[in-house]
mmCIF file of all heavy atoms in Angstrom:
data_model
loop_
_atom_site.group_PDB
_atom_site.id
_atom_site.type_symbol
_atom_site.label_atom_id
_atom_site.label_comp_id
_atom_site.label_asym_id
_atom_site.label_seq_id
_atom_site.Cartn_x
_atom_site.Cartn_y
_atom_site.Cartn_z
ATOM 1 N N ARG W 30 -12.700 12.071 -2.809
ATOM 2 C CA ARG W 30 -13.270 10.912 -2.110
ATOM 3 C C ARG W 30 -13.317 9.739 -3.075
ATOM 4 O O ARG W 30 -13.403 9.927 -4.291
ATOM 5 C CB ARG W 30 -14.704 11.207 -1.669
ATOM 6 C CG ARG W 30 -14.809 12.083 -0.474
ATOM 7 C CD ARG W 30 -16.266 12.284 -0.076
ATOM 8 N NE ARG W 30 -16.975 11.041 0.198
ATOM 9 C CZ ARG W 30 -17.008 10.436 1.371
ATOM 10 N NH1 ARG W 30 -16.391 10.926 2.392
ATOM 11 N NH2 ARG W 30 -17.694 9.325 1.523
ATOM 12 N N PRO W 31 -13.321 8.513 -2.559
ATOM 13 C CA PRO W 31 -13.457 7.366 -3.451
ATOM 14 C C PRO W 31 -14.865 7.259 -4.026
ATOM 15 O O PRO W 31 -15.843 7.573 -3.348
ATOM 16 C CB PRO W 31 -13.158 6.174 -2.544
ATOM 17 C CG PRO W 31 -13.258 6.654 -1.157
ATOM 18 C CD PRO W 31 -13.089 8.131 -1.183
ATOM 19 N N VAL W 32 -14.947 6.873 -5.288
ATOM 20 C CA VAL W 32 -16.214 6.594 -5.966
ATOM 21 C C VAL W 32 -16.147 5.120 -6.349
ATOM 22 O O VAL W 32 -15.304 4.701 -7.118
ATOM 23 C CB VAL W 32 -16.369 7.465 -7.230
ATOM 24 C CG1 VAL W 32 -17.656 7.118 -7.954
ATOM 25 C CG2 VAL W 32 -16.334 8.947 -6.874
ATOM 26 N N ILE W 33 -17.032 4.312 -5.758
ATOM 27 C CA ILE W 33 -17.022 2.875 -5.967
ATOM 28 C C ILE W 33 -18.177 2.493 -6.882
ATOM 29 O O ILE W 33 -19.337 2.613 -6.506
ATOM 30 C CB ILE W 33 -17.109 2.088 -4.644
ATOM 31 C CG1 ILE W 33 -15.927 2.460 -3.756
ATOM 32 C CG2 ILE W 33 -17.136 0.606 -4.896
ATOM 33 C CD1 ILE W 33 -15.948 1.854 -2.392
ATOM 34 N N ARG W 34 -17.826 2.093 -8.102
ATOM 35 C CA ARG W 34 -18.802 1.701 -9.127
ATOM 36 C C ARG W 34 -19.935 2.710 -9.265
ATOM 37 O O ARG W 34 -21.113 2.363 -9.287
ATOM 38 C CB ARG W 34 -19.329 0.309 -8.852
ATOM 39 C CG ARG W 34 -18.252 -0.732 -8.945
ATOM 40 C CD ARG W 34 -18.763 -2.116 -8.813
ATOM 41 N NE ARG W 34 -17.643 -3.044 -8.988
ATOM 42 C CZ ARG W 34 -17.659 -4.281 -8.592
ATOM 43 N NH1 ARG W 34 -18.734 -4.771 -8.014
ATOM 44 N NH2 ARG W 34 -16.625 -5.053 -8.793
ATOM 45 N N GLY W 35 -19.589 3.976 -9.331
ATOM 46 C CA GLY W 35 -20.550 5.051 -9.538
ATOM 47 C C GLY W 35 -21.219 5.536 -8.264
ATOM 48 O O GLY W 35 -21.943 6.531 -8.282
ATOM 49 N N GLN W 36 -20.995 4.897 -7.143
ATOM 50 C CA GLN W 36 -21.581 5.309 -5.870
ATOM 51 C C GLN W 36 -20.612 6.262 -5.164
ATOM 52 O O GLN W 36 -19.432 5.987 -5.066
ATOM 53 C CB GLN W 36 -21.852 4.102 -4.977
ATOM 54 C CG GLN W 36 -22.707 3.041 -5.605
ATOM 55 C CD GLN W 36 -24.118 3.508 -5.854
ATOM 56 O OE1 GLN W 36 -24.713 4.169 -5.029
ATOM 57 N NE2 GLN W 36 -24.653 3.178 -7.020
ATOM 58 N N PHE W 37 -21.120 7.374 -4.651
ATOM 59 C CA PHE W 37 -20.268 8.346 -3.988
ATOM 60 C C PHE W 37 -21.033 9.069 -2.889
ATOM 61 O O PHE W 37 -22.230 8.801 -2.690
ATOM 62 C CB PHE W 37 -19.706 9.357 -4.990
ATOM 63 C CG PHE W 37 -20.764 10.135 -5.733
ATOM 64 C CD1 PHE W 37 -21.176 11.376 -5.255
ATOM 65 C CD2 PHE W 37 -21.340 9.627 -6.871
ATOM 66 C CE1 PHE W 37 -22.148 12.082 -5.933
ATOM 67 C CE2 PHE W 37 -22.319 10.329 -7.550
ATOM 68 C CZ PHE W 37 -22.726 11.561 -7.077
ATOM 69 N N GLY W 38 -20.392 9.961 -2.183
ATOM 70 C CA GLY W 38 -21.033 10.730 -1.123
ATOM 71 C C GLY W 38 -21.426 9.858 0.051
ATOM 72 O O GLY W 38 -20.595 9.074 0.557
ATOM 73 N N GLU W 39 -22.660 9.957 0.505
ATOM 74 C CA GLU W 39 -23.135 9.180 1.648
ATOM 75 C C GLU W 39 -23.210 7.695 1.382
ATOM 76 O O GLU W 39 -23.270 6.884 2.286
ATOM 77 C CB GLU W 39 -24.528 9.681 2.082
ATOM 78 C CG GLU W 39 -24.497 10.960 2.891
ATOM 79 C CD GLU W 39 -23.873 10.767 4.254
ATOM 80 O OE1 GLU W 39 -24.136 9.758 4.926
ATOM 81 O OE2 GLU W 39 -23.089 11.631 4.649
ATOM 82 N N ARG W 40 -23.222 7.291 0.102
ATOM 83 C CA ARG W 40 -23.289 5.865 -0.228
ATOM 84 C C ARG W 40 -21.957 5.154 -0.055
ATOM 85 O O ARG W 40 -21.903 3.942 -0.030
ATOM 86 C CB ARG W 40 -23.789 5.681 -1.658
ATOM 87 C CG ARG W 40 -25.215 6.109 -1.811
ATOM 88 C CD ARG W 40 -25.702 5.833 -3.208
ATOM 89 N NE ARG W 40 -27.083 6.141 -3.345
ATOM 90 C CZ ARG W 40 -28.058 5.257 -3.306
ATOM 91 N NH1 ARG W 40 -27.788 3.992 -3.155
ATOM 92 N NH2 ARG W 40 -29.302 5.640 -3.430
ATOM 93 N N VAL W 41 -20.869 5.904 0.052
ATOM 94 C CA VAL W 41 -19.549 5.351 0.291
ATOM 95 C C VAL W 41 -19.077 5.817 1.663
ATOM 96 O O VAL W 41 -18.838 6.987 1.873
ATOM 97 C CB VAL W 41 -18.544 5.787 -0.797
ATOM 98 C CG1 VAL W 41 -17.143 5.298 -0.471
ATOM 99 C CG2 VAL W 41 -18.972 5.304 -2.147
ATOM 100 N N ARG W 42 -19.015 4.905 2.601
ATOM 101 C CA ARG W 42 -18.607 5.240 3.974
ATOM 102 C C ARG W 42 -17.095 5.184 4.091
ATOM 103 O O ARG W 42 -16.464 4.248 3.635
ATOM 104 C CB ARG W 42 -19.198 4.255 4.976
ATOM 105 C CG ARG W 42 -20.667 4.372 5.128
ATOM 106 C CD ARG W 42 -20.945 5.435 6.134
ATOM 107 N NE ARG W 42 -22.352 5.404 6.429
ATOM 108 C CZ ARG W 42 -22.997 6.483 6.764
ATOM 109 N NH1 ARG W 42 -22.372 7.614 6.870
ATOM 110 N NH2 ARG W 42 -24.260 6.427 7.022
ATOM 111 N N VAL W 43 -16.540 6.187 4.735
ATOM 112 C CA VAL W 43 -15.114 6.196 5.071
ATOM 113 C C VAL W 43 -15.045 6.037 6.584
ATOM 114 O O VAL W 43 -15.537 6.882 7.323
ATOM 115 C CB VAL W 43 -14.430 7.494 4.614
ATOM 116 C CG1 VAL W 43 -12.977 7.509 5.040
ATOM 117 C CG2 VAL W 43 -14.541 7.652 3.114
ATOM 118 N N LEU W 44 -14.455 4.922 7.026
ATOM 119 C CA LEU W 44 -14.363 4.611 8.451
ATOM 120 C C LEU W 44 -12.915 4.638 8.911
ATOM 121 O O LEU W 44 -12.004 4.317 8.131
ATOM 122 C CB LEU W 44 -14.958 3.229 8.723
ATOM 123 C CG LEU W 44 -16.363 2.955 8.248
ATOM 124 C CD1 LEU W 44 -16.717 1.488 8.477
ATOM 125 C CD2 LEU W 44 -17.351 3.847 8.944
ATOM 126 N N ALA W 45 -12.718 4.986 10.159
ATOM 127 C CA ALA W 45 -11.396 4.899 10.793
ATOM 128 C C ALA W 45 -11.581 4.138 12.092
ATOM 129 O O ALA W 45 -12.349 4.561 12.959
ATOM 130 C CB ALA W 45 -10.833 6.277 11.053
ATOM 131 N N ASN W 46 -10.938 2.990 12.216
ATOM 132 C CA ASN W 46 -11.077 2.125 13.380
ATOM 133 C C ASN W 46 -12.537 1.753 13.632
ATOM 134 O O ASN W 46 -13.039 1.826 14.755
ATOM 135 C CB ASN W 46 -10.464 2.759 14.622
ATOM 136 C CG ASN W 46 -8.982 2.937 14.497
ATOM 137 O OD1 ASN W 46 -8.298 2.122 13.892
ATOM 138 N ND2 ASN W 46 -8.468 4.012 15.046
ATOM 139 N N SER W 47 -13.247 1.423 12.581
ATOM 140 C CA SER W 47 -14.667 1.007 12.594
ATOM 141 C C SER W 47 -15.630 2.116 12.981
ATOM 142 O O SER W 47 -16.794 1.846 13.275
ATOM 143 C CB SER W 47 -14.868 -0.195 13.526
ATOM 144 O OG SER W 47 -14.089 -1.286 13.099
ATOM 145 N N LEU W 48 -15.191 3.357 13.002
ATOM 146 C CA LEU W 48 -16.067 4.485 13.304
ATOM 147 C C LEU W 48 -16.140 5.388 12.086
ATOM 148 O O LEU W 48 -15.141 5.615 11.387
ATOM 149 C CB LEU W 48 -15.537 5.273 14.507
ATOM 150 C CG LEU W 48 -15.454 4.499 15.815
ATOM 151 C CD1 LEU W 48 -14.767 5.347 16.871
ATOM 152 C CD2 LEU W 48 -16.847 4.111 16.283
#
Side-chain angles (χ1 to χ4, degrees):
R30 284 183 57 88
V32 177
I33 301 176
R34 296 186 177 161
Q36 305 294 318
F37 60 93
E39 282 292 318
R40 293 184 176 260
V41 176
R42 291 274 189 210
V43 177
L44 306 174
N46 296 325
S47 301
L48 299 173

